[in-house]
């Protein structure tokens, strides 16, 4: 299962309540696209260092993983799909 971001919501929870939140979420995402302004809450990520190889005491042997809020990932996917169709 996917990890929760700053909003503490896992994507599978969004799927479970999608019928209840689809209209207000559509309205919010349309406003974001219309005003070209992404809420700051969508921009924060939990960053976790993941060990790659070598000496575990050396910072260069880690790579960052960013976990974005669930709604941010959803909006990003919608934007990707719109641009993909356009191109």
């Amino acid at each position: 299962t996917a990890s929760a971001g700053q909003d503490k919501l896992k994507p599978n929870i969004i799927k479970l309540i999608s019928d209840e939140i689809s209209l207000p979420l559509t309205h919010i995402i349309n406003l974001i696209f219309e005003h070209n302004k992404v809420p700051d809450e969508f921009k924060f990520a939990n960053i976790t260092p993941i060990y790659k190889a070598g000496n575990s005491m050396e910072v260069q042997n880690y790579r960052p993983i960013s976990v974005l809020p669930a709604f941010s990932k959803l909006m990003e996917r919608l934007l990707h799909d719109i641009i993909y169709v356009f191109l």
Side-chain angles (χ1 to χ4, degrees), residues 25-42:
L25 188 58
T26 300
H27 179 69
I28 291 168
I29 291 175
N30 284 336
L31 285 173
I32 290 169
F33 290 158
E34 181 181 327
H35 295 284
N36 296 318
K37 176 79 172 102
V38 177
D40 289 338
E41 295 81 7
F42 280 28

Side-chain angles (χ1 to χ4, degrees), residues 15-87:
K15 287 180 183 178
L16 288 174
I17 61 171
S18 61
D19 288 341
E20 290 81 10
I21 65 170
S22 62
L23 287 177
L25 188 58
T26 300
H27 179 69
I28 291 168
I29 291 175
N30 284 336
L31 285 173
I32 290 169
F33 290 158
E34 181 181 327
H35 295 284
N36 296 318
K37 176 79 172 102
V38 177
D40 289 338
E41 295 81 7
F42 280 28
K43 299 177 188 177
F44 290 105
N46 291 335
I47 301 173
T48 303
I50 302 295
Y51 176 68
K52 295 186 295 186
N55 185 345
S56 64
M57 300 304 285
E58 295 179 13
V59 71
Q60 66 266 23
N61 292 328
Y62 289 82
R63 62 185 175 93
I65 296 293
S66 300
V67 180
L68 295 167
F71 291 119
S72 177
K73 290 187 271 190
L74 178 61
M75 187 188 68
E76 185 178 297
R77 184 69 205 181
L78 290 170
L79 184 58
H80 170 272
D81 292 349
I82 291 168
I83 291 171
Y84 186 81
V85 169
F86 177 76
L87 296 176

